[in-house]
Amino acid sequence: MTDAVTFPTPGRIPYPGGCVLEPAPYALDWLLKWPADVTVNGTLHAGVPVFPLLRELLRDPAAHGVTPEQAQAARDRFLDTAGQALEAEGGQRAWLEREFR
């Protein structure tokens, strides 16, 4: 069975470094704005910020032709993959979970 909502795994977060920026908060901000190609029920949304689109899907799944369960599964995949990227920069997956509330 294929997923109704697909998107790539975020790669390494392009932390620019510097003495003012902390890696973990930067990574969280970057992931919340991260653009990627997202496919929803066969419709490509090219180069869209993934997190805001997932929030839209969760708010009104039927408007996008997905079930609440499919929207939740996409959210869970994002939390798994983006959470790993965030943790690699010293952040916590719980920060991303909080953003979905």
Side-chain angles (χ1 to χ4, degrees):
M1 180 163 96
T2 61
D3 294 318
V5 181
T6 61
F7 49 87
T9 299
R12 180 138 172 91
I13 295 170
Y15 178 63
C19 59
V20 177
L21 232 45
E22 291 293 326
Y26 175 84
L28 175 63
D29 185 61
W30 187 86
L31 287 165
L32 295 177
K33 298 172 184 173
W34 169 58
D37 290 348
V38 181
T39 302
V40 180
N41 266 346
T43 301
L44 175 64
H45 299 267
V48 299
V50 177
F51 174 76
L53 179 58
L54 292 178
R55 284 185 54 174
E56 270 184 49
L57 292 174
L58 290 165
R59 241 187 332 268
D60 191 0
H64 298 277
V66 297
T67 66
E69 294 79 16
Q70 290 169 322
Q72 187 67 39
R75 173 196 176 270
D76 293 347
R77 277 193 314 281
F78 179 80
L79 287 174
D80 285 342
T81 60
Q84 291 173 19
L86 181 57
E87 289 170 351
E89 298 297 333
Q92 300 174 20
R93 176 188 160 127
W95 298 352
L96 286 171
E97 291 171 351
R98 182 181 62 227
E99 294 296 328
F100 276 106
R101 292 186 207 132

